[in-house]
Amino acid sequence: VRGLTFYLSEEEGCEIMLSFQKWRCSWSLVAAIASIVAFVSVVHLFLFPVVPSFDYFGTRGVQPSCVPINGSIEGGRDNVLRNPQPLLDLDTQFPADSHEAVVYHGAPWKADIGRWLSGCDSIVTAVNVSEYVHNLSFFHQKIGGKSCKNDCSGQGICNRELGQCRCFHGFSGEGCSERLQLNCNYPGSKEEPYGRWVVSICSASCDTTRAMCFCGEGTKYPNRPVAEACGFKVNLPSEPGGPKLTDWTKADLDNVLTTNSSKSGWCNVDPVEAYASKVKFKEECDCKYDGLWGQFCEVPVSCTCINQCSGHGLCRGGFCQCKNGWYGADCSIPSVLSSIREWPRWLRPAQINVPDNAEVTANLVNLNAVVEKKRPLVYVYDLPPEFNSLLLEGRHFKFECVNRIYDDRNATLWTEQLYGSQMALYESMLASPYRTLDGEEADYFFVPVLDSCIITRADDAPHISMQSFSWDEGACYAPKEIWNSMMLVHWGNTNSKHNHSTTAYWADNWDRISSERRGKHPCFDPDKDLVIPAWKRPDIISLSLKLWARPREKRKTLFYFNGNLGPAYESGRPETTYSMGIRQKLADEFGSSPNKKGKLGRQHAEDVIVTPLRSDNYHESLASSIFCGVVPGDGWSGRIEDSVLQGCIPVVIQDGIYLPYENVLNYDSFAVRIREDEIPMLISILRGINGTEIEFKLTNVKKIWQRFLYRDSMLLEAERQKSAFGHVEDWAVEFLQLSEDDVFDTFIQVYLPHVLHYKLHNDPWRRQLLHPKKEFGLPRECLIRS
């Protein structure tokens, strides 16, 4: 699964590092990450075999009421454990409802979590944090030299805090003076003169700094992309209605480079003449690379960068070139050379302390900015660009591994990339008021690796040699050095039923990875990990019509599922193992569209829709249904998000696999779980749910739907667009009207404090390591037991 990870430090007890986690790479970067996290340690817990549950609080010796810390850290631990002194009776104050849930901020939580959040987290107070704003020139001089070597040769930017060059794609070395040779093609042969297929395959001019294919010198438009099939022979279908097939062994340069307007050209085609139908052009050619727009890539547009460089830098194809006085992957970290008026919100308002012996000119070392913040506090590592910026700069398809691109007006276009969640969460973290530059005060350490880019770029070019690694099932294939981390994933597979890879796609299968490399662990540990929602493109129509709030009487379909149903249907996935066979079983029983044999499901009913035929209006179909199917595809499929965002009650059919927040939210309050062996009884089970219970679940779905929406990321983009153009787009107007907790709120305000306080204050061995002077912003009785 595309996912993320946290790292829990044994040395500090209160330091938890967060990182995106999905490795499929043979780079030396893996070794670097392993060295970062080799010291982590968390106990692995056995998991319930079929239906996910969260029993950490009730069955692992943790008492349900808050008690004070009494006795010293060295000698009082046993006294605390033997003689608890309850001061807050959370059980009485916050009783569970009939579904064993306790509501907090409108969401039904697992009872013990909800009680603690209601009674303790709700009264957290702010603490003073000293944020150190550095004089980068001073730090650079201390490291040795007035500037980075050769000023990075114009092929990178200087991180003046570290005195290190951050080199652009295709350049390397201490001063970025080494030009890398990143070939577009694999070595050729007589049979395959351009080598075996790879996304970067090129018959024209290869830019070896990025392994991208262009028309090249001697053409009218040398910077026009010649991506993939554009440069090769395309054969007509062998039968009517069939697909065209590209012959990757034969170049098509006679057409691509032609100046004869009667031929289907590309590199010398004038856009004006082409739009006027005066010349022919090759239809397989397209404008795939970021930063270009129009049928003929004739319009330069904004590229996608992390937080668009926060307004303090130039977005260079995914890589931020920061202005003087700013640094970081998104240029969001100020130095004393920056204007205080431009400091980010997470550094304001601040009390500024200037050293007494400093002159406000060349001798100023740093500024101590004291900011009042609420915990948890997160330190975000500024990793080398190999982990983020370079992955964006070198991607071959502008839509991949990002949640947005820009059109010819530089207006925002949101993508359909499920993995856009990584970008959204990373950007929100960088702009969050919970961010801190003070590692001593930090509760978490976020290690941001955009590994969804690694995954989606796996076939991009020969230099990304990741074929020996698999992907797409979260922590199942994670290197054992980081398994003790807290992981954020989309596929919460506990391996209770599936002791092997669950995917039908060969490239994602991790069975061949030895336990020596990945360890003998489950894919997901609900006592430390979290499943986060996938990215879903904002739909203005759904929002404006408030489809998520549609009442029961307007939901005429009892059960709805629309998606690939496997080999029994036209264009269905051919593998019998696809969806672990679940979609196929669902179709066999309730299929509402004829299969290849012309048969419907055995229990086909008028108000039950199970079809592979894409709906004309998918969101409307969901919003017209009471229950919606949540079943796997090749692992996660984003169906829970589809269901909740349109106000439909999720019907979960995937044994032993957790969904977003399922180990902290009480799913019984808004969803239905059906065991895989109960599929033949699905409809009778749903018809047996009384009207009161249906209304109860529909109401709860309405309360939590925004927790599956990355609203914060969208509002950050709305602010950027308003600053650039003085107005906001229609989508922003709709999102500005929303106010409930979204994905990031749930993640930072609820999940992190919960994990932080339970892990830090309930594990006896960890309590001994707590810094006695650290202020957590909580009453003492909330710090140990709850």
Side-chain angles (χ1 to χ4, degrees), residues 660-713:
Y661 317 126
E662 194 169 0
N663 51 336
V664 290
L665 283 182
N666 187 308
Y667 261 58
D668 286 344
S669 296
F670 63 89
V672 176
R673 255 198 181 269
I674 302 292
R675 295 197 314 271
E676 293 171 23
D677 61 7
E678 292 180 319
I679 288 177
M681 299 175 284
L682 169 66
I683 299 307
S684 61
I685 291 173
L686 297 182
R687 294 196 193 281
I689 300 175
N690 64 52
T692 302
E693 180 69 5
I694 289 175
E695 291 290 354
F696 178 81
K697 290 181 185 291
L698 286 173
T699 299
N700 275 324
V701 172
K702 294 175 188 176
K703 290 179 179 178
I704 66 161
W705 73 279
Q706 289 189 48
R707 294 183 183 275
F708 290 75
L709 186 72
Y710 287 88
R711 189 191 73 249
D712 184 74
S713 174

Side-chain angles (χ1 to χ4, degrees), residues 128-131 347 349-353 368-372:
N128 286 329
V129 181
S130 294
E131 305 280 11
L347 276 177
Q351 177 183 340
I352 309 298
N353 296 323
N368 180 11
V370 179
V371 187
E372 202 174 56

